[in-house]
Amino acid sequence: MEEFQEGTQKRWIHLRNILERPGPFSRPEYVPSPEILEFLLTSCKVLIIGAGGLGCELLKDLAMMGFRHLHIIDMDVIDLSNLNRQFLFRHKDIGLPKAEVAAKYVNARVQGCQVVPHYCPIQDRSEGFYQQFHVIVCGLDSVPARRWINGMVVSLLCYDEDGVLDQSSVIPLVDGGTEGFKGNARVIVPGVTACIECTLDLYPPQVTYPLCTIANTPRLPEHCIEYVKVAQWPKDNPFGVDLDGDDAQHLTWVHEKAVERATQFNIKGVTYRLVQGVVKNIIPAVASTNAVIAAVCATEVFKIASTSLVPLNNFMIFNDIDGIYTYIYEAERKVDCTVCSNIPQLVTVEDPSKMKLKDLVELLRESPKFQMKSPGLTTTVNGTNKTLYMSTIGAIEKMTKGNLTKSLLELGLKDGQELMVADTTTPNAIIVKLAFKQSDTEMK
């Protein structure tokens, strides 16, 4: 308690100015109190997901804002290409887990901070692990990972007998993302505001290039790079291994060959930075953008944890390509959201005698509504649980692969049948309900 009193008087004077007196941006119902600062310093637990460009900034910002009980989870190790923007790492750290190095660095530099690292995929942690946190903040570069953690926080919600949400089960999710000089930050209150899945169509589709174009009539610098990536690298096999987008030697080789091909077709604009983006299928990160978005996310975490200020409602866009531009709008919940609505998802089937199971699997992958990676389907037929198809477990895939070429009628599925669909994009299965446009009688 003595340490706390000393900290509140000197080190945290800037926080006391916000938390111990009302201000123009305070919530109308906010009651200033020194106990709020004590909660932030001694009790509040925050989980940071990702220890990359955004994650390093988030960890630094939150630690210096007074959050002492921080956890950070990341499954990657440090690579040379990370050092230009992930400032918690040094050359000697290459090959070590990002989460562990970042935690060690901040613990040593920020007095009183206790960062706990977790070197593993987010899917390896249970519901009990995520339930311990007051706020979760994401610095991810993966849409599937965002969808998974979004599904997790929604699955933790509890409702009473009347369907009223238990507020104590709500864990706010703050999400940040950057692409070059553009970025966004959003605040998700599970069960209250729009979730990741509600706005899934906001994420741009993965860019692909037709092989015939890149091989015969390249017109863009990206075409030249993609050709070297998919055709020339496997043919020449320069290093005897698969192409590694984080290996500087590999990228240099691709850059040189792409420049040669671009010169052949009189194409300009092949740069090393562009090579990085095309090979890794990402837009290379910019340190300044990461810093801005992380600062916004850290501020939102502070608003939520302290309840002193009105949080972002609920989506902010940042762009500094030509000047600086920001825009805030409220993303609306979808009444039939696949994750937060708890409503079975309707899939209309034109002709169940012709639609194969593989067509249904493809629909779940390609549909903008679902965008699944490797859906596994189970259902109940004549009172018996039946696995229709599952690719993630080798033995089950071998047993169910033959079902892919069978029609939905051959599999015994009927109009209104409910299927449980599991996928890597969500921790819990969703329910899909089949709606046949042609009934069995009509088809006979």
Side-chain angles (χ1 to χ4, degrees), residues 71-72 76 143 219 250 269 396 411 417 433 438 442-443:
H71 289 239
I72 186 164
D76 290 336
V143 175
R219 299 183 299 275
H250 291 196
I396 298 180
L411 292 169
Q417 184 102 28
K433 188 174 183 178
Q438 290 180 269
E442 290 175 332
M443 297 179 62

Side-chain angles (χ1 to χ4, degrees), residues 320-341:
D320 65 346
I321 295 177
D322 296 310
I324 297 179
Y325 171 79
T326 62
Y327 175 69
I328 296 174
Y329 72 94
E330 181 181 358
E332 296 183 0
R333 290 185 70 184
K334 278 188 176 179
V335 294
D336 61 343
C337 174
T338 57
V339 171
C340 67
S341 70

Side-chain angles (χ1 to χ4, degrees), residues 231-376:
Q232 205 164 343
W233 181 279
K235 179 182 176 182
D236 296 352
N237 196 18
F239 297 95
V241 295
D242 292 336
L243 177 59
D244 183 355
D246 291 318
D247 190 306
Q249 284 186 305
H250 291 196
L251 292 176
T252 300
W253 188 90
V254 173
H255 179 228
E256 292 172 353
K257 297 300 179 182
V259 169
E260 292 176 7
R261 185 167 176 80
T263 302
Q264 179 185 349
F265 288 90
N266 197 28
I267 297 173
K268 297 181 180 180
V270 176
T271 64
Y272 185 84
R273 190 175 187 82
L274 183 61
V275 168
Q276 281 183 303
V278 173
V279 170
K280 299 179 68 176
N281 199 29
I282 60 171
I283 298 175
V286 175
S288 58
T289 311
N290 285 337
V292 170
I293 297 301
V296 173
C297 291
T299 301
E300 294 306 319
V301 172
F302 174 79
K303 291 179 184 179
I304 294 168
S306 66
T307 69
S308 59
L309 303 164
V310 179
L312 176 70
N313 186 30
N314 53 33
F315 203 112
M316 188 210 79
I317 295 172
F318 171 83
N319 189 330
D320 65 346
I321 295 177
D322 296 310
I324 297 179
Y325 171 79
T326 62
Y327 175 69
I328 296 174
Y329 72 94
E330 181 181 358
E332 296 183 0
R333 290 185 70 184
K334 278 188 176 179
V335 294
D336 61 343
C337 174
T338 57
V339 171
C340 67
S341 70
N342 294 320
I343 297 174
Q345 302 303 303
L346 203 65
V347 172
T348 302
V349 179
E350 294 287 342
D351 189 343
S353 66
K354 293 181 180 179
M355 186 177 193
K356 310 291 185 184
L357 183 63
K358 64 180 180 181
D359 299 326
L360 179 58
V361 171
E362 191 66 18
L363 184 149
L364 294 172
R365 287 174 176 163
E366 300 297 330
S367 167
K369 182 176 184 178
F370 296 104
Q371 297 187 39
M372 295 184 173
K373 300 299 179 183
S374 52

Side-chain angles (χ1 to χ4, degrees), residues 3 8 51 66 77 85 123 137 181 268 291 316 330 346 372:
E3 178 191 359
T8 56
V77 296
R85 63 195 183 281
Q123 294 85 353
V137 56
F181 290 98
K268 297 181 180 180
M316 188 210 79
E330 181 181 358
L346 203 65
M372 295 184 173

Side-chain angles (χ1 to χ4, degrees), residues 140-168:
L140 293 163
D141 59 2
S142 163
V143 175
R146 282 185 172 90
R147 295 175 67 185
W148 191 93
I149 192 62
N150 174 75
M152 173 56 73
V153 295
V154 171
S155 71
L156 296 177
L157 298 178
C158 296
Y159 296 84
D160 64 17
E161 296 177 354
D162 298 322
V164 178
L165 177 63
D166 179 0
Q167 295 297 325
S168 66

Side-chain angles (χ1 to χ4, degrees), residues 37-110:
L37 178 58
E38 183 176 3
F39 165 73
L40 296 181
L41 294 175
T42 62
S43 303
C44 186
K45 298 182 73 172
V46 179
L47 173 65
I48 302 167
I49 301 180
L54 266 178
C56 286
E57 292 281 356
L58 284 167
L59 183 58
K60 176 262 295 181
D61 289 348
L62 292 171
M64 297 187 72
M65 287 178 78
F67 293 94
R68 294 183 173 183
H69 299 284
L70 300 171
H71 289 239
I72 186 164
I73 183 168
D74 193 291
M75 63 182 289
D76 290 336
V77 296
I78 299 164
D79 183 80
L80 178 64
S81 64
N82 302 147
L83 303 185
N84 70 328
R85 63 195 183 281
Q86 298 173 22
F87 61 92
L88 298 181
F89 310 138
R90 300 293 181 267
H91 196 279
K92 63 181 176 60
D93 300 321
I94 291 175
L96 299 177
K98 288 183 177 181
E100 295 179 2
V101 174
K104 182 178 179 181
Y105 188 98
V106 172
N107 285 337
R109 291 293 297 268
V110 182

